[in-house]
Structures are given as structure tokens and as C-alpha cells.
């Protein structure tokens, strides 16, 4: 399996300037290749990445500054364009508005990389890349796995800082340390994770902590004169505030997904996406203004929990730990009683599940139990063997206080 490790770079002034030059050269190559692709489409011909690489030698001879770089740097740029063209072709086949890839301006091109193993190497915490002055020092806050095999590298500029992403290949674990453990996860409308054992995980909201800094930086940016040096500085300051929020979210998602993957060999997750959740919540607004308010608040909430990202992280971390994760259709998972199977409408207590069979628990807990049962059944049908227990050790115990607790106190 493939993993990515991201580190900040400690550059000299000459190295910082050289990386900026290489970034600009790759942007020009991307735009030139895109112009060639567009001209070929108008002529009725469809070029591939092999055609672009075949004409790369002529382009390098016409631009000596490109010839000073490894071939892998140019190949990485051409393959990035090929990925954008593949997305365009897929939208065209599906009948959606296709939209050709756009030419990249300086503000829309922030990274370049090396395709393959030639032209770069790692030596004692330093990145040696052909075409760069000296070896670049990497602040390796965590070491690479001992058995890791580097297969690629990408350099990204964020504001005034540079980062390197090293892609490695590692062997996944053959067996999970807890092979009989199973877990179901429900992602509610409030973006709270509910597990089949009844525990809840409230969403992490770093945006509230940085709201004042974001507000000050945004107002300062509005007051700046266009294309001024101060505007660039304030824009970098605003970018740093957003980057701090993004890093806090990513760190939280990594910690949660790692804990879940290490504790359970089989994980069943509710199949949900940000677009579907936003569409469902926005439909509850009776007017357009109310729908916009709900959608805007949901956007920030979804960015904090980010169901798609946490599902993606749980998937690859479970594979690395020797476990498995599957997606389960969430239809009627909230209304169906896990213990007796009848449909229970949530009218009086929309956040609670109370059934005539005696079940009395949070609706997210009931949904997580249904998701786990469906996941185990689907996995057993697909592989012919069971993982974990068919049903968890759940009971009918009431997990909420009595409704008249306030009056009797």
C-alpha cells in the first residue's frame, strides 16, 4: 500500500528562489501542453500523455532552462495535465457540463514533483534534487518507516513556506491484533460520530477558536490597496490562519481514525458524502433564505467533521493495521429498530429511539447497531465467513434520565 509523509522544508535564500523558478517553469510547461491539447481537440485528434512525453524532447531543446531539470519533473507536470483531461473526458461521457481545464495563473499553481526514482534521493534527512543548489534540509518531525520504499516526491508552496510530500510503499499487516472485534459507525446530521458500543464523539470545531483571527485578517485584507505589497502580506497572514485551522482538523481526523482502526478489525461505516448531507439538510428550509442559512452553517460544520475525509482515513488505516472497512447503505437505519426490526417514527423525541419491544437508546446508537449488522451480513455473504460477532452485546438499558427528572429533583 502507498502512504504519504509531509514535512516542512528549511531552505536557504538561494534554494527558496530556485524552487520558485522551477515552479514557474512547470506552470509554463503545463499551459503549453494544455494549449496543444486544446488545439488537437479542435482538429479532431485526442492526445495522450505518451504523445505529450514524445514531444517533450523538442520542448526541452527549445527551452534550455527546462533541460537543466530532471526528466521526471516534466513528466510529473504532464501527468498532472493528463489527470485533468481524464476528468474532463469523464464529465463529457456522463453528460455533465464538461468544462475544459483552465490555464494556470501564478496563484493557481503551487506544487511540482518528480515522477519516478531518478533525479532525487534522500540522504540523512536532506532532499537532493537535480537542478537545486545544494541539498535541501527537511524538518523530519517523525521518521519514515524502516521498511518504507520511496517512490515519489512532491514539493508544495503555501504562502512563503515550502513543504515536501514523500510517497512511500509499505507492506500492510497480515492480521489485525484484535481479529474478533467489530464496530459500526453512524455519522449523524450534527456530524457527531456514534459507535455501536454507545459512545459518541462530538465534532471538533477549530474554526470557532480562530474566528477572531480570521475576522481581523479578512477586514484588513479588504482595506488594503489592490496589488500592493501590504495586501500580499495580509493575504499571507490570512492564509496562515486558514492553514492553522486545516492542520488542526487534519490532526484530529488522523487521531480519531487511527484509534478506530487499531481497536477494531472490522469497521462498518454509514455511506455518506458531504454533498448528500448538505442536500438533505438544505431541503428542510422552507424558503430560499432559510435554505442558504442552513447550508452555510452546514458547510462549516461539515468542514470540521468532514465525513468523506474521515472515512478515507479509516479505510487506509484499517488496511494498514490488517483490518477491513466497508460502506453500508444507511437507508432506514435510523427508523428500523435494531432489536425487533419494526419501523419507529421519531416524532416526540427526534434524537431518541424508543420501541415497544423495550429498546430505549439514542437514535445514533440504534443506527450504528443497524449499520454494524448490515455490514457483517454483507461481508459474510461476499466472503463466505463471519468477522466478529453477528450482533454486539447490547442491552435494553435506558441510557437517558427520566423525563420527569427535573420536576422530581
Amino acid at each position: 500500500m502507498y502512504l504519504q509523509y509531509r514535512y516542512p522544508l528549511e531552505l536557504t535564500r538561494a534554494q527558496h528562489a530556485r524552487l520558485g523558478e522551477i515552479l514557474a517553469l512547470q506552470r509554463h510547461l503545463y499551459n503549453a501542453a494544455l494549449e496543444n491539447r486544446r488545439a488537437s481537440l479542435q482538429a479532431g485528434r485526442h492526445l495522450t500523455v505518451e504523445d505529450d512525453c514524445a514531444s517533450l524532447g523538442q520542448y526541452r531543446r527549445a527551452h534550455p532552462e527546462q533541460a537543466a531539470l530532471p526528466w521526471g519533473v516534466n513528466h510529473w507536470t504532464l501527468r498532472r495535465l493528463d489527470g485533468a483531461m481524464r476528468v474532463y473526458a469523464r464529465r463529457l461521457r456522463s453528460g455533465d457540463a464538461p468544462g475544459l481545464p483552465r490555464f494556470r495563473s501564478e496563484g493557481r499553481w503551487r506544487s511540482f514533483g518528480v515522477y519516478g526514482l531518478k533525479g532525487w534521493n534522500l540522504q540523512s534527512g536532506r532532499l537532493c534534487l537535480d537542478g537545486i543548489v545544494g541539498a535541501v534540509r527537511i524538518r523530519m518531525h517523525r521518521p519514515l518507516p524502516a521498511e518504507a520504499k520511496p517512490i515519489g516526491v512532491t514539493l508544495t508552496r503555501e504562502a512563503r513556506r515550502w513543504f515536501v510530500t514523500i510517497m512511500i510503499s509499505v507492506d500492510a499487516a497480515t492480521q489485525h491484533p484484535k481479529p474478533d472485534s467489530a464496530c459500526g459507525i453512524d455519522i449523524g446530521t450534527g456530524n457527531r460520530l456514534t459507535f455501536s458500543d454507545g459512545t459518541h464523539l462530538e465534532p471538533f470545531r477549530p474554526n470557532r477558536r480562530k474566528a477572531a483571527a480570521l475576522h481581523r485578517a479578512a477586514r484588513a485584507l479588504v482595506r488594503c490597496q489592490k496589488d500592493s505589497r501590504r495586501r500580499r502580506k495580509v493575504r499571507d497572514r490570512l492564509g496562515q490562519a486558514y492553514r492553522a485551522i486545516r492542520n488542526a482538523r487534519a490532526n484530529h481526523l488522523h487521531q480519531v481514525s487511527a484509534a478506530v482502526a487499531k481497536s477494531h478489525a472490522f469497521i462498518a461505516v454509514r455511506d455518506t458524502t458531504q454533498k448528500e448531507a448538505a442536500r438533505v439538510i438544505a431541503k428542510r428550509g422552507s424558503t430560499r433564505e432559510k435554505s442558504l442559512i442552513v447550508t452555510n452553517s452546514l458547510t462549516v460544520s461539515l468542514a470540521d467533521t468532514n465525513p468523506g475525509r474521515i472515512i478515507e482515513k479509516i479505510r487506509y488505516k484499517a488496511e494498514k493495521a490488517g483490518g477491513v472497512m466497508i460502506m453500508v447503505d444507511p437507508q432506514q437505519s435510523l427508523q428500523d429498530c435494531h432489536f425487533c426490526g419494526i419501523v419507529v417514527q421519531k416524532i416526540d423525541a427526534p434524537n431518541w429511539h424508543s420501541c415497544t419491544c423495550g429498546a430505549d437508546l439514542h437514535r445514533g446508537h440504534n443506527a450504528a447497531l443497524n449499520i454494524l449488522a448490515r455490514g457483517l451480513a454483507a461481508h459474510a455473504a461476499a466472503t463466505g465467513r463471519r468477522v466478529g460477532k453477528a450482533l454486539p452485546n447490547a442491552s435494553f438499558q435506558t441510557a437517558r434520565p427520566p423525563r420527569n427528572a427535573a420536576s422530581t429533583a
Side-chain angles (χ1 to χ4, degrees):
M1 61 179 304
Y2 300 114
L3 299 177
Q4 293 182 353
Y5 281 69
R6 190 169 183 263
Y7 303 101
L9 297 178
E10 297 179 353
L11 304 173
T12 63
R13 185 172 298 180
Q15 292 173 348
H16 194 281
R18 180 55 181 165
L19 290 180
E21 294 175 0
I22 297 176
L23 188 66
L25 290 175
Q26 300 315 301
R27 181 173 63 88
H28 295 328
L29 174 61
Y30 181 93
N31 291 336
L34 177 57
E35 184 178 3
N36 190 27
R37 287 282 190 114
R38 288 191 170 192
S40 65
L41 287 177
Q42 293 179 357
R45 296 182 296 110
H46 298 275
L47 299 181
T48 62
V49 65
E50 287 77 13
D51 299 329
D52 294 335
C53 294
S55 59
L56 182 58
Q58 182 180 359
Y59 182 85
R60 287 170 65 93
R61 287 191 294 269
H63 299 80
E65 62 277 5
Q66 295 279 4
L69 299 175
W71 280 81
V73 176
N74 299 141
H75 285 182
W76 185 93
T77 305
L78 295 179
R79 290 185 177 275
R80 181 172 177 179
L81 172 63
D82 185 67
M85 295 300 297
R86 289 177 182 272
V87 174
Y88 163 75
R90 185 171 65 248
R91 291 197 302 261
L92 194 63
R93 290 192 300 267
S94 61
D96 299 336
L100 279 168
R102 295 186 297 180
F103 293 100
R104 298 303 182 98
S105 61
E106 183 178 357
R108 293 183 175 272
W109 185 265
R110 301 186 298 112
S111 61
F112 70 92
V114 183
Y115 180 77
L117 298 176
K118 294 183 179 180
W120 71 279
N121 59 75
L122 295 174
Q123 296 180 358
S124 302
R126 293 179 180 270
L127 174 65
C128 300
L129 180 64
D130 295 347
I132 297 182
V133 181
V136 179
R137 184 178 178 183
I138 304 176
R139 188 184 303 172
M140 303 190 72
H141 48 81
R142 57 172 179 167
L144 293 173
E147 69 281 2
K149 300 177 182 179
I151 59 175
V153 63
T154 303
L155 289 88
T156 306
R157 182 177 64 184
E158 294 185 3
R160 300 183 181 181
R161 301 186 62 185
W162 282 87
F163 298 86
V164 60
T165 301
I166 304 174
M167 179 175 288
I168 61 175
S169 175
V170 296
D171 297 331
T174 57
Q175 186 177 3
H176 196 274
K178 300 179 180 180
D180 295 333
S181 57
C183 174
I185 303 178
D186 174 69
I187 303 178
T189 56
N191 297 316
R192 179 172 63 175
L193 300 181
T194 305
F195 299 89
S196 55
D197 58 357
T199 59
H200 302 276
L201 182 64
E202 297 293 338
F204 180 65
R205 305 189 186 279
N207 190 56
R208 295 180 179 179
R209 303 179 182 180
K210 302 291 184 179
L214 289 174
H215 182 69
R216 289 193 300 267
R219 287 183 61 86
L221 185 65
V222 174
R223 292 193 298 266
C224 294
Q225 186 177 0
K226 188 177 180 180
D227 298 332
S228 62
R229 293 182 59 185
R230 175 172 173 77
R231 182 179 178 85
R232 289 195 295 268
K233 292 181 179 179
V234 175
R235 185 178 56 192
D236 293 343
R237 190 189 312 160
L238 182 62
Q240 292 175 0
Y242 277 113
R243 186 167 61 250
I245 295 176
R246 186 170 63 251
N247 292 341
R249 287 171 177 165
N251 183 59
H252 176 72
L253 294 181
H254 274 294
Q255 292 177 351
V256 172
S257 58
V260 173
K262 291 179 181 179
S263 303
H264 304 90
F266 179 83
I267 305 171
V269 184
R270 176 179 182 176
D271 189 1
T272 180
T273 60
Q274 293 189 23
K275 292 183 179 180
E276 292 176 356
R279 191 181 303 114
V280 171
I281 300 301
K283 285 183 179 179
R284 298 183 180 180
S286 57
T287 61
R288 182 176 182 274
E289 291 77 9
K290 185 177 180 180
S291 299
L292 291 176
I293 293 174
V294 173
T295 304
N296 292 335
S297 61
L298 179 66
T299 302
V300 178
S301 182
L302 285 175
D304 291 332
T305 302
N306 208 333
R309 289 291 300 276
I310 194 171
I311 291 174
E312 176 187 354
K313 294 181 184 300
I314 291 176
R315 177 185 289 109
Y316 86 83
K317 290 182 185 293
E319 179 183 357
K320 181 183 178 182
V324 62
M325 192 211 79
I326 65 172
M327 307 287 287
V328 177
D329 185 9
Q331 186 176 6
Q332 292 295 113
S333 60
L334 292 174
Q335 287 79 16
D336 293 345
C337 181
H338 170 69
F339 302 98
C340 63
I342 66 174
V343 178
V344 180
Q345 298 295 334
K346 311 299 187 296
I347 300 177
D348 297 335
N351 294 329
W352 206 258
H353 176 81
S354 297
C355 183
T356 56
C357 67
D360 195 24
L361 67 167
H362 192 275
R363 69 166 190 173
H365 186 192
N366 178 71
L369 292 174
N370 288 330
I371 290 172
L372 176 59
R374 296 177 186 180
L376 291 173
H379 185 75
T383 61
R385 63 186 182 91
R386 292 187 176 273
V387 177
K389 301 178 181 180
L391 295 177
N393 294 327
S395 60
F396 294 162
Q397 296 179 358
T398 302
R400 62 171 178 176
R403 297 181 179 179
N404 57 353
S407 59
T408 58

